[in-house]
Amino acid sequence: MNKVVSGADEAIRDIQDGMTLMLGGFGLCGLPENCIAALVKQGRKQLTCISNNAGVDDFGIGLMLKQRQVKKMISSYVGENAEFERQLLSGELEVELLPQGTLATRCMAAGYGMPAIFTPAGVGTEVAEGKETRNFNGKDYLMEMAFDADFAIVKAWKGDTMGNLVYRSTARNFNPVMAMAGKITIAEVEELVQPGELDPDHIHTPGIYVHRIFQGKDYEKRIEQRTVRVKQ
Amino acid sequence: MTKGIKEIEIMLDKQGIAQRIAREIKDGYYVNLGIGIPTLVANYIPETMDVVLQSENGLLGMGPFPFEGEEDPDVINAGKQTITMLPGSAIFDSAMSFGMIRAKKVNLTILGAMEVSENGDIANWKIPGKMVKGMGGAMDLVASAENIIVAMQHVNKAGESKLLPQCTLPLTGVHCVKKIVTELGVFDVLPEGGFKLLERAPGVSVEEIKNATAGKLIVEGEIPEIVI
C-alpha cells in the first residue's frame, strides 16, 4: 500500500480541464501550497474549485483565479481577494456561496457515503432557493447534497507512505473532511515518515482515503493577519 | 443623523459596546465571537469566570494574541488572525466545528450585522452589486444558536438606521437575533416583534435613540443608563 509519488507535478498529472477539485485550508492556513503551484504551472482551465476561501490576490487559489483557470468557485467567504470580487461582480466567474458548516458537512457526507444532509443554515435566505426543505420536530431544514469531486487536494503535517495523515493545530480545518471526499485524494505533507512511525491512536485521516502522498517543500505558510501583543 | 461633539464623547465606542456585551457572558459558557467588535469582547471577560471561546475554524480554548516573534501560522482564529491556544484547548475539523454549533453546544454567539429587523432577522453578508464577501459561518451560527447578540453601530455610514422594520439586504437568518448592543443602547428583540429599549448609553436620550431607530421601538418606563 505504498501511495508515495515523487511530487506535486506527478500527483496532479491527470487532472483535466473541466474537473471539480476540493482544496483544503482555511484562509492561507493548512493550504496545499505545492499542489496549487503545480496546478498554476499545469494551466488546466474550466475548473470548479471547492474551497472555503479563494486565497488572496497573490497566493493560494488567487493565483489560479489570476490565470482564469477557475470557471466556478464554491466557497463560504471570499472577502480577502479583490481579483475574485472583480471577476464575480463582472460575471466572469461563477460563484456558489454556501454557509461554512454546509460546505464542511457536504464534504463529510461524501466521505461517509451519505447522499445528502439536512441543515437549518440558510433557511429563509437566498441559499435556500431551489433546495428541498423538510420540517423535523417543528423546525425547517434544507437538504444539501454530498459533494462529488474528482480530486481532493489536502495538506497535512505528517503522513506515512500508506497515506495515514496527522494535521497540526488549526491547519486541520477542512483538510480531513475533504481528504475523505475525493474520488482521488492527494495529500502533501511537511514530513513523510515510514509506517509505524505514527501512533495509530493519533491518526486523523486513515490512509484508505488517500491515494497519493508526497513530502512537500519550501512551505511559505503565509500569515494573513499578523496580530501580536506587547510583552509587559 | 448628525452628532455634536458632546454626544460623540459620551456615547459608547467600540470598546464600550464590547465591554457591555461581555456582561452577558456567564460562568461556564462556551462562546463564539464573530469578526470585528465581537472579537473585542474577549478582552472584557473577567478572569474569575470560566469561559471557553470557540473559533469555528476548529478550536476550543482560544487565547490572546501571541507575543511578537511567537506567531504560529498554523494557529489562527476564524478572522485569520494569529492567536494562542490556552491550556485545555481542543482542535477539530470544520465539520465537527459546525456539528457542535448545530447541536447547540455553544451557549452564546456574538456577531456583527449590517441590518437587523424588528422580528429578529439579520443581514450581514452581501450588498447586491457592490459587495460580496460571503456568509462564512454566520448562517450556520444564527440558524442554530439559541442565544444571539448582535454588536453593531446603530446607523450606517450614510446615516441610515440599521434597526429596521424589515431588512433590505439579503438575509443571513430569520427570527434569530435576541439582543442588540449599539453605541446608543441595549435592546431586546421581542418574540412578537419590536426593539425593546433596555438601557441607554451614557448621556444619550431616549429621543435620540428614537430618531436613530427606523424599526418599532418600545420604551417602557424609565430607561437606565448603561453601567460599565
Side-chain angles (χ1 to χ4, degrees), chain A residues 153-200:
Chain A
I153 303 173
V154 303
K155 153 82 195 306
W157 179 39
K158 291 182 182 180
D160 67 21
T161 58
M162 295 178 74
N164 294 305
L165 303 177
V166 176
Y167 308 89
R168 181 173 176 274
S169 302
T170 57
R172 189 182 312 188
N173 56 61
F174 278 85
N175 284 301
V177 282
M178 287 187 171
M180 296 168 71
K183 284 196 196 78
I184 295 175
T185 290
I186 298 167
E188 56 174 89
V189 298
E190 287 178 53
E191 193 184 345
L192 185 64
V193 301
Q194 291 305 309
E197 289 186 47
L198 300 175
D199 185 339

Coordinates of all heavy atoms in Angstrom, one line a residue, chain A residues 153-200:
Chain A
I153 N -7.5 17.8 -2.7 CA -6.1 18.0 -2.5 C -6.0 18.7 -1.2 O -6.5 19.7 -0.9 CB -5.6 19.0 -3.6 CG1 -5.9 18.4 -5.0 CG2 -4.1 19.3 -3.4 CD1 -5.6 19.3 -6.2
V154 N -5.2 18.0 -0.3 CA -5.1 18.4 1.1 C -3.7 18.6 1.5 O -2.8 18.0 0.9 CB -5.9 17.5 2.1 CG1 -7.3 17.3 1.7 CG2 -5.2 16.1 2.2
K155 N -3.5 19.3 2.7 CA -2.2 19.5 3.3 C -2.3 18.9 4.7 O -3.2 19.3 5.4 CB -1.9 21.0 3.3 CG -1.0 21.5 4.3 CD 0.5 21.2 4.0 CE 1.4 21.4 5.2 NZ 1.3 22.6 5.9
A156 N -1.3 18.1 5.0 CA -1.2 17.6 6.4 C 0.2 17.9 6.9 O 1.1 18.3 6.2 CB -1.5 16.1 6.5
W157 N 0.3 17.7 8.2 CA 1.6 18.0 8.9 C 2.6 16.8 8.6 O 3.6 16.9 8.0 CB 1.4 18.2 10.4 CG 2.6 18.5 11.2 CD1 3.7 19.2 10.8 CD2 2.8 18.0 12.5 NE1 4.6 19.2 11.9 CE2 4.1 18.5 12.9 CE3 2.1 17.2 13.4 CZ2 4.6 18.3 14.2 CZ3 2.6 17.0 14.7 CH2 3.9 17.5 15.1
K158 N 2.1 15.6 9.1 CA 2.8 14.4 8.9 C 2.0 13.4 8.2 O 0.8 13.3 8.3 CB 3.3 13.8 10.2 CG 4.3 14.6 10.9 CD 4.7 14.0 12.2 CE 5.8 14.8 12.9 NZ 6.2 14.2 14.2
G159 N 2.6 12.5 7.4 CA 1.9 11.4 6.8 C 2.9 10.3 6.6 O 4.1 10.5 6.6
D160 N 2.4 9.1 6.6 CA 3.3 7.9 6.3 C 3.0 7.5 4.8 O 2.1 7.9 4.2 CB 3.1 6.8 7.3 CG 1.8 6.1 7.3 OD1 1.1 6.2 6.3 OD2 1.5 5.5 8.3
T161 N 3.9 6.5 4.4 CA 3.8 6.1 3.0 C 2.5 5.4 2.6 O 2.2 5.3 1.5 CB 5.0 5.2 2.7 OG1 4.9 4.1 3.6 CG2 6.3 5.9 2.9
M162 N 1.8 5.0 3.7 CA 0.5 4.3 3.4 C -0.7 5.4 3.3 O -1.8 5.0 3.1 CB 0.2 3.3 4.5 CG 1.2 2.1 4.6 SD 0.8 1.0 5.9 CE -0.7 0.2 5.3
G163 N -0.3 6.6 3.5 CA -1.3 7.7 3.4 C -2.0 8.1 4.7 O -3.0 8.9 4.6
N164 N -1.6 7.5 5.8 CA -2.2 8.0 7.1 C -1.7 9.4 7.4 O -0.6 9.7 7.2 CB -1.7 7.1 8.2 CG -2.3 5.7 8.1 OD1 -3.5 5.5 8.0 ND2 -1.4 4.7 8.0
L165 N -2.6 10.2 7.8 CA -2.3 11.7 8.0 C -2.6 12.2 9.4 O -3.5 11.8 10.1 CB -3.2 12.5 7.0 CG -3.1 12.2 5.5 CD1 -4.1 13.1 4.7 CD2 -1.7 12.3 5.0
V166 N -1.7 13.1 9.8 CA -1.9 13.9 11.0 C -1.7 15.4 10.7 O -0.8 15.8 10.0 CB -0.8 13.5 12.0 CG1 -0.9 14.3 13.3 CG2 -0.9 12.0 12.4
Y167 N -2.7 16.1 11.2 CA -2.7 17.6 10.9 C -2.1 18.3 12.2 O -2.1 17.7 13.3 CB -4.0 18.1 10.6 CG -4.7 17.3 9.5 CD1 -5.4 16.1 9.7 CD2 -4.5 17.6 8.1 CE1 -6.0 15.4 8.7 CE2 -5.0 16.9 7.1 CZ -5.8 15.8 7.4 OH -6.3 15.0 6.4
R168 N -1.8 19.6 12.0 CA -1.3 20.4 13.1 C -2.1 21.6 13.4 O -2.4 22.4 12.5 CB 0.2 20.8 12.8 CG 0.8 21.5 13.9 CD 2.3 21.8 13.7 NE 2.8 22.6 14.8 CZ 2.7 23.9 14.8 NH1 2.2 24.6 13.8 NH2 3.2 24.6 15.9
S169 N -2.6 21.7 14.6 CA -3.3 22.9 15.1 C -4.5 23.2 14.2 O -5.1 22.4 13.6 CB -2.4 24.0 15.4 OG -1.4 23.6 16.3
T170 N -4.7 24.5 14.0 CA -5.9 24.9 13.2 C -5.6 24.8 11.7 O -6.5 25.1 10.9 CB -6.3 26.4 13.5 OG1 -5.2 27.3 13.3 CG2 -6.8 26.5 14.9
A171 N -4.4 24.3 11.3 CA -4.2 23.9 9.9 C -5.0 22.6 9.5 O -5.0 22.2 8.4 CB -2.7 23.7 9.6
R172 N -5.7 22.1 10.5 CA -6.5 20.9 10.3 C -7.8 21.3 9.4 O -8.0 20.8 8.4 CB -7.0 20.3 11.6 CG -7.7 18.9 11.3 CD -8.2 18.2 12.5 NE -7.3 18.1 13.7 CZ -7.6 17.4 14.8 NH1 -8.7 16.7 14.8 NH2 -6.7 17.4 15.8
N173 N -8.5 22.2 9.9 CA -9.7 22.8 9.3 C -10.5 21.9 8.3 O -11.0 20.9 8.7 CB -9.4 24.2 8.7 CG -8.3 24.2 7.7 OD1 -8.3 23.6 6.7 ND2 -7.2 25.0 8.0
F174 N -10.5 22.2 7.1 CA -11.3 21.5 6.1 C -10.5 20.2 5.6 O -11.1 19.4 4.9 CB -11.6 22.3 4.9 CG -12.9 23.2 5.1 CD1 -12.8 24.4 5.7 CD2 -14.1 22.8 4.7 CE1 -13.9 25.2 5.9 CE2 -15.2 23.5 4.9 CZ -15.1 24.8 5.5
N175 N -9.2 20.1 5.9 CA -8.4 19.1 5.3 C -8.9 17.7 5.5 O -9.0 16.9 4.6 CB -7.0 19.2 5.7 CG -6.3 20.4 4.9 OD1 -6.2 20.4 3.7 ND2 -5.8 21.4 5.6
P176 N -9.3 17.3 6.8 CA -9.7 15.9 7.0 C -11.0 15.6 6.3 O -11.1 14.5 5.7 CB -9.9 15.8 8.5 CG -9.2 16.9 9.1 CD -9.2 18.0 8.0
V177 N -12.0 16.5 6.2 CA -13.3 16.2 5.6 C -13.1 16.1 4.1 O -13.8 15.4 3.4 CB -14.4 17.1 6.0 CG1 -14.9 16.7 7.4 CG2 -14.0 18.6 6.0
M178 N -12.2 17.0 3.5 CA -12.0 16.9 2.1 C -11.2 15.7 1.7 O -11.5 15.1 0.7 CB -11.3 18.2 1.6 CG -12.2 19.4 1.7 SD -11.5 20.9 0.9 CE -13.0 21.9 0.9
A179 N -10.3 15.3 2.5 CA -9.5 14.1 2.3 C -10.4 12.9 2.1 O -10.1 12.0 1.3 CB -8.5 13.9 3.4
M180 N -11.5 12.9 2.8 CA -12.4 11.7 2.8 C -13.3 11.8 1.5 O -14.0 10.8 1.2 CB -13.3 11.7 4.0 CG -12.6 11.5 5.3 SD -13.7 11.9 6.7 CE -14.8 10.5 6.6
A181 N -13.3 12.9 0.8 CA -14.4 13.2 -0.1 C -14.0 13.1 -1.6 O -14.9 13.1 -2.4 CB -15.0 14.5 0.2
G182 N -12.7 13.0 -1.9 CA -12.4 13.0 -3.3 C -12.4 11.6 -3.9 O -12.2 10.6 -3.2
K183 N -12.7 11.5 -5.2 CA -12.6 10.2 -5.9 C -11.1 9.8 -5.9 O -10.8 8.7 -5.7 CB -13.1 10.4 -7.3 CG -14.6 10.4 -7.5 CD -15.0 10.1 -9.0 CE -16.4 10.5 -9.2 NZ -16.5 12.0 -9.4
I184 N -10.3 10.8 -6.1 CA -8.8 10.6 -5.9 C -8.4 11.7 -4.9 O -8.7 12.9 -5.1 CB -8.1 10.8 -7.2 CG1 -8.5 9.6 -8.1 CG2 -6.6 10.8 -6.9 CD1 -7.8 9.7 -9.5
T185 N -7.7 11.3 -3.8 CA -7.3 12.3 -2.8 C -5.7 12.3 -2.8 O -5.1 11.3 -2.8 CB -7.8 11.9 -1.4 OG1 -9.2 12.1 -1.4 CG2 -7.1 12.7 -0.4
I186 N -5.3 13.6 -3.0 CA -3.8 13.8 -3.0 C -3.5 14.5 -1.6 O -4.1 15.5 -1.3 CB -3.4 14.8 -4.1 CG1 -3.8 14.1 -5.5 CG2 -2.0 15.2 -4.0 CD1 -3.7 15.1 -6.7
A187 N -2.5 14.0 -0.9 CA -2.1 14.7 0.3 C -0.6 15.1 0.2 O 0.2 14.3 -0.2 CB -2.2 13.7 1.5
E188 N -0.4 16.4 0.5 CA 1.0 16.8 0.6 C 1.3 17.1 2.0 O 0.4 17.6 2.8 CB 1.3 18.1 -0.3 CG 0.4 19.3 0.0 CD 0.9 20.5 -0.8 OE1 0.4 20.6 -2.0 OE2 1.7 21.3 -0.3
V189 N 2.5 16.6 2.5 CA 2.8 16.7 3.9 C 4.1 17.4 4.1 O 5.0 17.4 3.3 CB 2.8 15.3 4.6 CG1 1.4 14.6 4.4 CG2 3.9 14.4 3.9
E190 N 4.3 17.9 5.4 CA 5.6 18.5 5.7 C 6.6 17.5 6.0 O 7.8 17.7 5.7 CB 5.4 19.5 6.9 CG 4.6 20.8 6.5 CD 4.4 21.7 7.7 OE1 5.4 22.0 8.4 OE2 3.2 22.0 8.0
E191 N 6.2 16.4 6.5 CA 7.1 15.3 6.8 C 6.5 14.0 6.5 O 5.5 13.6 7.0 CB 7.4 15.4 8.3 CG 8.6 14.6 8.7 CD 8.9 14.6 10.2 OE1 8.3 15.5 11.0 OE2 9.6 13.7 10.7
L192 N 7.2 13.3 5.6 CA 6.7 11.9 5.2 C 7.5 10.9 6.0 O 8.8 10.9 6.0 CB 7.0 11.7 3.7 CG 6.4 10.5 3.1 CD1 4.9 10.4 3.1 CD2 6.9 10.3 1.6
V193 N 6.8 10.0 6.7 CA 7.5 9.0 7.5 C 7.1 7.6 7.1 O 6.3 7.4 6.3 CB 7.2 9.2 9.0 CG1 7.6 10.6 9.4 CG2 5.7 9.0 9.3
Q194 N 7.8 6.6 7.7 CA 7.6 5.2 7.4 C 6.4 4.7 8.2 O 6.1 5.2 9.3 CB 8.8 4.4 7.7 CG 10.0 4.7 6.8 CD 9.6 4.5 5.3 OE1 9.1 3.4 4.9 NE2 9.9 5.5 4.5
P195 N 5.7 3.6 7.7 CA 4.6 3.0 8.5 C 5.2 2.6 9.9 O 6.3 2.1 10.0 CB 4.3 1.8 7.7 CG 4.7 2.1 6.3 CD 5.9 3.0 6.4
G196 N 4.4 2.9 10.9 CA 4.8 2.5 12.2 C 5.3 3.7 13.0 O 5.4 3.7 14.2
E197 N 5.7 4.8 12.3 CA 6.2 5.9 13.0 C 5.1 6.8 13.5 O 5.4 7.6 14.5 CB 7.1 6.8 12.1 CG 8.5 6.1 11.8 CD 9.4 6.9 11.0 OE1 9.6 8.1 11.3 OE2 10.0 6.4 10.0
L198 N 3.9 6.7 13.0 CA 2.8 7.5 13.5 C 2.0 6.6 14.5 O 1.8 5.4 14.1 CB 1.9 8.0 12.4 CG 2.5 8.9 11.4 CD1 1.5 9.2 10.2 CD2 3.0 10.2 12.0
D199 N 1.6 7.1 15.6 CA 0.8 6.3 16.5 C -0.6 6.1 15.9 O -1.3 7.1 15.6 CB 0.7 7.1 17.9 CG 0.0 6.3 19.0 OD1 -0.8 5.4 18.6 OD2 0.2 6.7 20.1
P200 N -1.0 4.8 15.8 CA -2.3 4.6 15.2 C -3.5 5.3 15.9 O -4.5 5.7 15.3 CB -2.5 3.1 15.3 CG -1.1 2.5 15.4 CD -0.3 3.6 16.1

